[in-house]
């Protein structure tokens, strides 16, 4: 897999070597790591597993007749520690949190859930992936497993679900961490994140062709494609990591709902961008009472890092970590740096946005030095 060049075309397409020569999305903006206001924990961390390490065992919980698959990672965390609950992004699964969960295992037990139709969870019984319904189901699952308050973490699509839950159930959420949340992007510019043509999924009759297109992609190619799009430095993903991802894709390929659920969730996300009232992202964010940590990679090709500051500003109490060189799944690509910011948040539950001068935040070089051992 060839390295990514920093050169881009006028449309923001990233040039790469190898079979995937042109990737959509904005150009790398590593300089925006200077936006960071988050505090980083500097203590020792548990050993972080590789991308190909086996996943922790899981089990199914039945909520309103629907089976949801949950994984738990625990180490030597204090028994009184509030748990961390992690929610993956579109087409992701609970395994997206393996590395971060281990990095937190000495401070809190970590639960990672497969959302309906993802991973090993059942699909929605009514083929309904409405975002508020997903948030409600997640809250019921947390209540059933152990209750709250919990430290809630969401990536991309899961970040929106987590925000809605934090807004509707403030008593359940102690802290909220959002990693590249899939916030709406209505900017009329050529260089942006996700292809605006994805909105065509809302047109009746388009779901079927989209499902058939996904089904034609073999597991190896799909794993490689996901790495190219989701990682800021896909050339650093080891071959064994790609093989592990391909094996997971292949295992799930036999599930009859694997692609229809992905398209259904994507359609609900897009429809949510145009939802008025209390369930819009901005309205929900304004109601969140918990302290918030927003994390973004400077090479995110799906949600533009230039949205990071405005996203953090939507919350009353927030801090921002912008990770130089990372992509859309910083918890997988830079788990050490993400863990250090999250561990600091767990210690301090009241941090105002913009607290402290900008030059007090870790520099780009300091961030890369911290994250280097996990690359």
């Amino acid at each position: 897999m060839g390295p990514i060049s920093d050169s881009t075309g006028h449309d923001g397409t990233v040039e790469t070597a190898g079979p995937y020569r042109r990737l959509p999305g904005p150009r790398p903006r590593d300089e925006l790591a200077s936006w960071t206001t988050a505090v980083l924990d500097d203590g020792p961390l548990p050993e972080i597993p590789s991308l190909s390490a086996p996943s922790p065992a899981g089990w199914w919980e039945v909520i309103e007749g629907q089976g949801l698959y949950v994984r738990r990672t625990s180490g030597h965390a204090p028994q009184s520690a509030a748990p961390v609950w992690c929610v993956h992004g579109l087409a992701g699964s609970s395994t997206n949190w393996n590395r971060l969960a281990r990095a937190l295992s000495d401070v809190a037990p970590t639960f990672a859930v497969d959302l309906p139709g993802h991973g090993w969870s059942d699909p929605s019984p009514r083929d309904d992936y409405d975002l508020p319904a997903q948030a409600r189901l997640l809250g019921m699952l947390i209540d059933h497993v152990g209750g709250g308050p919990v430290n809630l973490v969401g990536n991309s699509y899961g970040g929106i679900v987590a925000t809605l839950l934090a807004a509707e159930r403030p008593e359940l959420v102690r802290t909220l961490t959002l990693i590249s949340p899939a916030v709406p992007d209505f900017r009329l510019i050529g260089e942006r994140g996700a292809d605006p043509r994805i909105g065509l999924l809302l047109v009746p009759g388009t779901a079927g062709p989209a499902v058939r297109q996904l089904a034609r992609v073999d597991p190896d190619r799909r794993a490689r494609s996901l790495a190219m799009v989701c990682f800021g430095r896909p050339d650093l993903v080891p071959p064994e990591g790609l093989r592990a991802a391909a094996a997971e894709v292949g295992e799930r390929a036999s599930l009859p709902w694997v692609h229809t659920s992905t398209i259904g969730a994507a359609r609900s996300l897009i429809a949510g961008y145009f939802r008025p009232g209390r369930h819009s992202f901005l309205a929900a964010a304004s109601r969140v009472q918990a302290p918030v940590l927003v994390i973004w990679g400077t090479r995110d090709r799906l949600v533009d890092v230039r949205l990071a500051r405005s996203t953090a500003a939507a919350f009353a109490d927030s801090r921002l970590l912008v990770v130089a060189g990372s992509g859309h799944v910083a918890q997988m690509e830079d788990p050490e740096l993400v863990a250090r910011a999250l561990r600091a948040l767990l210690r301090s539950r009241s941090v105002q946005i913009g607290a402290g001068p900008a030059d007090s935040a870790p520099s780009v070089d300091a961030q890369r030095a911290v994250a280097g051992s996990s690359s």
Side-chain angles (χ1 to χ4, degrees):
M1 186 181 300
I4 291 180
S5 166
D6 285 350
S7 63
T8 59
H10 70 280
D11 59 353
T13 301
V14 180
E15 297 287 349
T16 71
Y20 298 90
R21 294 188 177 278
R22 292 178 64 79
L23 296 174
R27 67 175 177 83
R29 297 182 182 275
D30 292 348
E31 70 280 3
L32 296 189
S34 63
W35 284 3
T36 292
T37 60
V39 175
L40 300 180
D41 181 270
D42 60 359
L45 296 179
E47 183 178 357
I48 299 175
S50 69
L51 286 167
S52 60
S55 298
W59 71 96
W60 281 271
E61 295 285 355
V62 179
I63 306 296
E64 290 196 326
Q66 183 169 356
L68 298 176
Y69 196 76
V70 182
R71 300 179 193 271
R72 185 179 192 272
T73 301
S74 58
H76 301 289
Q79 290 187 351
S80 60
V84 175
W85 275 81
C86 299
V87 191
H88 62 77
L90 187 67
S93 76
S94 54
T95 61
N96 293 170
W97 302 100
N98 291 353
R99 306 187 78 197
L100 179 62
R102 181 54 60 188
L104 299 173
S105 61
D106 62 330
V107 294
T110 299
F111 296 84
V113 59
D114 288 338
L115 290 173
H118 291 72
W120 297 108
S121 287
D122 293 344
S124 167
R126 293 173 296 278
D127 198 28
D128 179 11
Y129 294 92
D130 180 68
L131 289 170
Q134 300 283 293
R136 175 176 169 272
L137 192 66
L138 175 61
M140 294 177 66
L141 173 66
I142 293 172
D143 285 334
H144 179 75
V145 172
V150 303
N151 300 291
L152 191 58
V153 185
N155 174 218
S156 191
Y157 173 87
I160 304 301
V161 173
T163 299
L164 293 177
L165 177 58
E168 294 298 320
R169 298 280 309 276
E171 81 287 354
L172 192 62
V173 180
R174 178 178 182 269
T175 67
L176 175 65
T177 297
L178 305 177
I179 302 174
S180 290
V183 296
D185 186 357
F186 298 118
R187 296 170 304 160
L188 300 178
I189 59 176
E191 187 188 345
R192 53 177 290 152
D195 191 332
R197 289 174 297 181
I198 195 173
L200 294 174
L201 285 175
L202 294 180
V203 177
T206 57
V211 168
R212 290 191 290 274
Q213 183 176 355
L214 284 175
R216 286 196 294 266
V217 182
D218 67 78
D220 288 339
R221 182 176 176 84
R222 183 165 174 78
R224 184 180 177 90
S225 177
L226 287 172
M228 293 296 289
V229 172
C230 292
F231 282 71
R233 295 157 292 169
D235 52 304
L236 298 182
V237 178
E240 58 271 22
L242 288 175
R243 287 194 293 269
E248 181 179 354
V249 171
E251 288 177 3
R252 295 192 64 239
S254 61
L255 301 177
W257 60 79
V258 65
H259 300 307
T260 55
S261 61
T262 297
I263 296 302
R267 296 180 79 174
S268 73
L269 177 64
I270 300 163
Y273 290 163
F274 303 98
R275 185 192 304 273
R278 65 184 290 108
H279 293 308
S280 71
F281 173 77
L282 288 178
S286 70
R287 303 198 310 277
V288 171
Q289 300 175 19
V292 177
L293 169 64
V294 176
I295 300 175
W296 226 291
T298 62
R299 301 189 180 192
D300 192 329
R301 299 183 187 91
L302 296 176
V303 190
D304 194 338
V305 66
R306 288 174 293 175
L307 298 172
R309 268 184 170 170
S310 60
T311 299
F315 297 92
D317 181 5
S318 68
R319 55 175 71 174
L320 174 63
L321 171 66
V322 181
V323 186
S326 193
H328 191 61
V329 286
Q331 79 276 12
M332 300 177 70
E333 195 168 6
D334 286 297
E336 181 176 335
L337 189 59
V338 171
R340 291 191 181 281
L342 186 49
R343 290 164 74 100
L345 177 68
L346 299 187
R347 292 199 319 265
S348 174
R349 295 180 50 189
S350 180
V351 178
Q352 298 299 320
I353 184 167
D359 59 6
S360 68
S363 67
V364 175
D365 290 341
Q367 289 188 58
R368 287 266 51 86
V370 170
S373 62
S374 62
S375 300

